[in-house]
Amino acid sequence: MAERSWTTRSYVPADADGILALRRVVFGNLDRVRLRPEIWRWQFIDNPAGAGWVRLAVHGDTIVGQYAAIPTRFRLNAGAGEERTFAMSCDTMTHPDYQRQGMFVTLAQELYAELAEQHGVSTVWGFPNAASHPGFVGRLGWFDVHVFPTRVKPIRSAPVFKRYLRWDVLSGTLGVLADRTYQLATPRVSPPTRCEIRPLSSFDERFDALWMRHRQLAPVVQVRTREHLNWRYCAVPEFGYRPFEILVGGALEGYVVVRTLTLFDLPFAAVVDLFPCPVIDAAITREVLCFAQLEAERAGAAFLTALLPPAHGPHLTRFGFLKVPGFLNLRPWYLGARCAPADEPMLRDIDHWYVTYGDADIV
């Protein structure tokens, strides 16, 4: 281990520029929107659940490491039910010149102590990536709740074949054959008939009532009031989230959020959030997934992806989503946490959670 040349301290408002400079070094232009000061403020200051918590490593006047978490409000439906604040781990960064010096573990441990002593927050959770996962589980007391398979529904296979085969003519032919064969084996996609799905510019008071009706959907579920939904999906148009309300018989019965992105030069669409699940029943839920695929096709996506807990996985399977084999999975979705011993039996069981991509900070 290299000699330690840095010290640690808590964030102060004047650190924002230095944090973004570190992000630029660590991530480059991978997510350009998040390099903007107003987007950092959206995530760490304007969060309706509260301002974020940030612990920094500094060398002289330069910020060289960060461990951060943001407040997230969860409803725990044990007994009478209660709302609790959990800390969602996010934006872990270490400058390349300061790796293998114990910075990540040091900053995390210091922040966990601060959360417990100063804020009464004992549960930290999140979606570690493959590189940081061993550190979280091996050195920071986290446990794995679940490793989600990446589920995709192919729409246009040619771009995928082109990426890996790099032969345009053969890729186009294989893509057409694969798509036609797959379409024969999966349910026909058609516009909704039993429900009406309309775009939203913002979430209104009806969504507070929707949340109240379905807040017992799972024993562990992030609070989905209009305040949270507007912050998460509407406050930053540059993220490209497209929320839709789901009406059945003219009444609001749910919402779905879709986003189109590019990963490894491949265009794809994601069902970012779906609430509740099922929406009324399996048939209407399928109509919502049909709608999401049609939106993906209009956006030119090569495939559609979605993340739902195992209990709701059959909705995706019946609609034709496939599990990406482990050796091809470029982004394992580890859901993990650390908490007080009294909460561990509830939080360890994935069947107690309701999570979607929208609960992560990546998609």
Side-chain angles (χ1 to χ4, degrees), residues 198-210:
R198 304 190 307 200
L200 288 165
S201 58
S202 64
F203 294 85
D204 57 33
E205 65 278 358
R206 296 173 302 144
F207 291 89
D208 288 337
L210 181 73

Side-chain angles (χ1 to χ4, degrees), residues 36-60:
R36 292 163 43 181
E38 64 270 26
I39 306 305
W40 184 88
R41 180 179 179 86
W42 163 81
Q43 184 175 7
F44 287 99
I45 304 297
D46 297 336
N47 179 356
W53 303 292
V54 182
R55 192 76 183 166
L56 300 173
V58 296
H59 184 183

Side-chain angles (χ1 to χ4, degrees), residues 16 22 28-29 40 90 97 101 110 125 127-129 137-138 161 174 182 193 203 220 252 267 309 317 351 361:
L22 175 63
N29 291 324
W40 184 88
C90 60
D97 294 341
Q101 298 180 23
E110 291 179 355
W125 73 288
F127 291 86
N129 60 30
V137 174
F161 284 115
L174 288 175
Y182 180 69
T193 56
F203 294 85
V220 183
L252 179 70
T317 302
D351 289 337
D361 66 330

Side-chain angles (χ1 to χ4, degrees), residues 283-336:
I284 289 183
T285 303
R286 180 181 175 280
E287 288 195 1
V288 175
L289 294 174
C290 281
F291 174 85
Q293 179 172 335
L294 293 172
E295 287 293 304
E297 291 174 0
R298 280 191 280 270
F303 60 90
L304 179 68
T305 183
L307 184 148
L308 288 173
H312 302 281
H315 292 291
L316 301 179
T317 302
R318 287 193 294 267
F319 187 62
F321 279 82
L322 307 174
K323 293 182 181 180
V324 177
F327 70 94
L328 290 176
N329 191 356
L330 300 175
R331 204 324 179 168
W333 289 90
Y334 299 100
L335 172 62

Side-chain angles (χ1 to χ4, degrees), residues 16-34:
D17 288 344
I19 292 171
L20 291 176
L22 175 63
R23 183 179 185 89
R24 189 172 291 106
V25 171
V26 173
F27 297 115
N29 291 324
L30 183 62
D31 192 346
R32 295 183 181 181
V33 173
R34 291 185 184 269

